[in-house]
Amino acid sequence: MLAELKRLKDDYPGRVLIASIMEEYSKDAWEEIIERCEAVGVDAFEVNFSCPHGLPERKMGMAMGQDCDVLGEVCGWINAKATVPVWGKMTPNITDITQPALVAVQQGCEGIAAINTIRSVMGINLDTLRPEPCVEGYSTPGGYSYRAVKPIALEKVMSISRLLQQRGFREQGTSLSGIGGVETGGDAAEFILLGCDTVQVCTGVMVHGYPMVRHLCGGLQAFMAKHGFSSITDFQGAALPYFTTHGDLVVRQKAALAERKAARVGLDNDTAWTGDGFVAEAESMVSNRG
């Protein structure tokens, strides 16, 4: 990995190079990987507290991100050692994703990335009666990604974005990177509308190849042109104020129905017709009057 990072930085010195790193619950191990990555010139770290393939039995990846006490301690080690910005990558495989996100930023992370893949079992082979995919007939739950996870990712990102906003971290410069089913410019726009500063693509590139990034950028530019936006900041977080509670939705719906009923023209029932006012009464019920 280090050789690949160095080659990328040598080939593209003017580009930002972010190292995605993961380690065990060991201060020495984290300090070593940070030191070695910085030595080859990385500009930032995305710390993997979220991968379901990350040897959870050794408290790596997702297992670390599910334990806020361990997460807080490790974030402290990382931010004390790193001299470049750090993003904590959150797992969706937790009841409340805002809890580890809050711990990460309180312990010095400059940003949050969300989400990683969703722990799943892909299926059972009805001929062999064994799980798939498998290795010599055996399997383990793994991470599910791509289009199907986007609605889940959007909800998790929305929750984190509101947390950062409400707790004042946005004003301090804490950033948010959206991940999960991003394939088109429209997908990217949805994450930005929820407050993301950046979006990430993985499975989409694996499926379509790197040219898809050009199409994504073009789609995002078309969306911006349609709405007259000249910068991402023009619409970043614009959808957030429109999220509320179930109870508030009921109140809003009742108020809207009452308002429409009060403004309704026409007659309440058939007994309200009068002989002399028939023409005017019928006219009042025409829906396409100019």
Side-chain angles (χ1 to χ4, degrees):
M1 180 187 77
L2 290 171
E4 293 173 342
L5 290 173
K6 186 177 187 307
R7 178 183 173 187
L8 283 169
K9 198 61 182 176
D10 289 344
D11 290 349
Y12 304 98
R15 303 291 184 177
V16 174
L17 178 61
I18 302 174
S20 177
I21 59 174
M22 179 174 67
E23 257 300 347
E24 296 184 44
Y25 181 50
S26 165
K27 183 178 181 181
D28 290 340
W30 280 107
E31 290 181 341
E32 179 183 354
I33 194 172
I34 289 169
E35 188 172 315
R36 293 177 71 183
C37 286
E38 288 195 4
V40 299
V42 302
D43 300 289
F45 290 107
E46 181 184 78
V47 186
N48 187 341
F49 296 129
S50 47
C51 182
H53 307 135
L55 299 176
E57 61 271 21
R58 290 162 58 181
K59 283 192 176 296
M60 297 177 72
M62 178 185 71
M64 190 170 287
Q66 291 173 327
D67 188 328
C68 286
D69 292 333
V70 172
L71 175 67
E73 186 177 14
V74 172
C75 284
W77 299 339
I78 293 168
N79 287 294
K81 181 67 175 178
T83 62
V84 296
V86 174
W87 282 268
K89 187 173 183 179
M90 300 292 106
T91 176
N93 303 296
I94 190 169
T95 302
D96 183 358
I97 198 171
T98 66
Q99 293 182 5
L102 178 59
V103 169
V105 294
Q106 287 177 331
Q107 291 300 316
C109 289
E110 284 84 359
I112 296 295
I115 59 173
N116 209 315
T117 54
I118 297 171
R119 195 167 187 258
S120 62
V121 172
M122 294 304 295
I124 307 297
N125 187 306
L126 297 182
D127 293 322
T128 65
L129 314 184
R130 298 195 178 195
E132 290 188 335
C134 64
V135 176
E136 300 299 323
Y138 291 83
S139 187
T140 187
Y144 191 53
S145 65
Y146 204 32
R147 296 172 184 166
V149 310
K150 193 183 86 170
I152 300 169
L154 290 172
E155 187 277 329
K156 301 297 185 184
V157 164
M158 180 273 293
S159 298
I160 295 172
S161 188
R162 294 180 74 184
L163 166 78
L164 297 178
Q165 186 180 73
Q166 293 166 0
R167 298 294 289 264
F169 291 107
R170 275 305 201 179
E171 297 174 2
Q172 300 171 22
T174 303
S175 62
L176 178 59
S177 187
I179 313 163
V182 178
E183 185 178 33
T184 68
D187 296 330
E190 289 183 66
F191 280 91
I192 296 169
L193 284 162
L194 290 177
C196 289
D197 300 273
T198 60
V199 297
Q200 299 184 37
V201 180
C202 181
T203 310
V205 168
M206 295 167 67
V207 173
H208 301 291
Y210 289 109
M212 74 147 287
V213 177
R214 188 179 303 112
H215 296 300
L216 186 154
C217 291
L220 182 58
Q221 290 168 343
F223 162 81
M224 293 173 64
K226 174 184 176 181
H227 291 277
F229 299 135
S230 59
S231 170
I232 284 175
T233 56
D234 290 345
F235 64 98
Q236 185 179 6
L240 285 178
Y242 300 99
F243 286 93
T244 184
T245 64
H246 288 283
D248 183 60
L249 291 178
V250 172
V251 171
R252 289 175 180 272
Q253 184 183 48
K254 286 182 177 178
L257 289 172
E259 183 179 353
R260 285 197 290 270
K261 185 176 181 180
R264 187 175 61 189
V265 296
L267 305 175
D268 289 332
N269 54 65
D270 287 344
T271 62
W273 290 98
T274 65
D276 295 337
F278 179 84
V279 174
E281 291 158 1
E283 180 68 19
S284 74
M285 291 185 287
V286 176
S287 61
N288 62 346
R289 286 178 297 161

